[in-house]
Structure formats: C-alpha cells, structure tokens
Amino acid sequence: MSKPKSSSVEHRSDGSQPWLHQKGRVIQEFGTVKQFPVALSMDTRLYSCQRLNKVLADTRILHDLYKKYHWLMRGATFYQLHLLLDKHAGEQLELIDTVAERVQTLGGVAIGDPRHVAEITSVPRPPDGVEEVPAMLSRLLEAHELILTECHDAAARTQEMGDDGTNDILVSDVVRTNELQAWFVAEHLVDTPLVHA
C-alpha cells in the first residue's frame, strides 16, 4: 500500500529537497578581524580593513556610476563614450574583487550590501535622471579624485604599519587604474575642434 501524498513539503531523507528560508546567527561582525597567520598584528589588519572597506565602498559607487552613464550617454561621441565607460566599469569591477579579497585575506569582513555601501561612501549621489554629458563626466572625475585621495593616504599609512600587501594593492592596482581612467575621461572634456577653419 502506497503512502498518501501530503500537500505540504516534507523533509526528504534523500537530501534532494532544499532547506529553504534558513536563518543563522552572525558569526563575524563587520568592522572586526579574526586571527589569521599572515604575520601582521591585529591592530594593523583592523586598520587596513577599515581603510580598504572605505575604498571598496567608493569603488563600488564609481563602478555603478560608470554603468549608469554608459547606458545614459548622449550626443555625437555617444559610441566612443559608451564603449569607454563600459570598459572602465569592467576594470572597476576587477578592483572591487581585488580589494574585497584583500579584506578577507586580512581576516576582515568586506562590505557587501549596497545599502551599507551607501552609508559609507563619500561619493556624492547624482540626480536620478539624465544630466548633460559634461556633468556626467565631471562626476566620474570627482569620484576618481576622492578615491585617489583616500588611497594615497591609506597607502602611506599601511606602509608605515608594515602591511606591504595592502600598500601594493592600493598603489599598483587602485591608484594606477584610477589615474589612467581619470586621464581618459578628462580628455573628453577638452573643448578643442577637430580642424581649424
């Protein structure tokens, strides 16, 4: 005789039924570091994680601005800027992963939730609508400069504290990428004719 079918989901012993709506306790709070054998003090790792998470929050906002402006681009240089901004967004996405993984390597907790990012970032919020192209490009340059200012200071401090890995990521990856991208964007704001009459 077969067992009657139930209308509710039952626990299956074969393990093929997902256990949905799981809840769990927080096992590490944001802003803390756990002990890792990376030859850096707890204070150094905590400081580096705080600085990296600030850079990470600003970089995530810059990435999203690049994607937004990639979609909203207008005018005669639409195609060139559309492609450039998407390329820059991809490079910022790589930085996001690099910085977040460094936080984790130091035993910290990388900022993840976009609502948390919005609380920490220093990058000003743009209008929800479409601005004129020069204003969009200027916002990108301002975000780059905020990140570069933060990185220069954080790189110097982490080097003083002996955190060579964080210093290297800040200088070799974040600073160099942002400087190059700022150059490319800034050149689109030069008002020069293609030919002289």
Side-chain angles (χ1 to χ4, degrees):
M1 180 171 186
S2 66
K3 192 175 180 180
K5 292 185 179 180
S6 169
S7 60
S8 65
V9 177
E10 296 177 0
H11 173 65
R12 298 170 126 193
S13 61
D14 65 6
S16 65
Q17 173 60 46
W19 289 35
L20 305 175
H21 310 293
Q22 302 253 348
K23 302 286 188 255
R25 62 185 175 85
V26 174
I27 59 173
Q28 184 181 355
E29 294 289 339
F30 181 80
T32 66
V33 291
K34 58 187 175 181
Q35 191 56 51
F36 264 177
V38 292
L40 292 169
S41 72
M42 184 79 80
D43 288 343
T44 296
R45 291 183 298 108
L46 184 60
Y47 180 81
S48 291
C49 287
Q50 289 168 344
R51 297 303 296 265
L52 287 165
N53 268 319
K54 177 67 173 71
V55 170
L56 181 56
D58 291 343
T59 301
R60 290 192 56 192
I61 296 297
L62 178 57
H63 166 265
D64 288 347
L65 285 177
Y66 266 116
K67 287 305 288 188
K68 176 181 179 176
Y69 297 154
H70 157 76
W71 298 320
L72 302 181
M73 196 43 56
R74 304 285 198 269
T77 58
F78 165 82
Y79 185 69
Q80 295 88 339
L81 283 171
H82 180 74
L83 295 180
L84 178 67
L85 300 188
D86 201 39
K87 176 182 180 289
H88 284 191
E91 292 166 354
Q92 290 294 324
L93 194 57
E94 288 179 24
L95 289 178
I96 287 167
D97 204 44
T98 299
V99 173
E101 287 180 353
R102 180 63 186 169
V103 172
Q104 296 303 126
T105 299
L106 294 171
V109 178
I111 189 167
D113 190 311
R115 293 162 294 192
H116 192 186
V117 168
E119 294 170 3
I120 291 177
T121 187
S122 298
V123 178
R125 181 175 177 168
D128 292 335
V130 181
E131 291 181 285
E132 293 176 325
V133 172
M136 289 190 274
L137 298 181
S138 291
R139 283 188 186 278
L140 293 171
L141 291 175
E142 289 163 10
H144 279 297
E145 192 165 26
L146 278 169
I147 291 168
L148 286 165
T149 300
E150 178 72 19
C151 281
H152 287 305
D153 183 66
R157 289 285 295 126
T158 55
Q159 184 176 11
E160 289 171 10
M161 298 176 82
D163 186 353
D164 300 322
T166 296
N167 173 273
D168 181 52
I169 286 172
L170 291 171
V171 174
S172 299
D173 296 315
V174 184
V175 167
R176 289 186 179 157
T177 298
N178 278 274
E179 286 176 342
L180 191 64
Q181 289 185 351
W183 171 42
F184 273 66
V185 172
E187 291 298 337
H188 283 272
L189 288 173
V190 175
D191 186 17
T192 183
L194 293 175
V195 294
H196 290 287

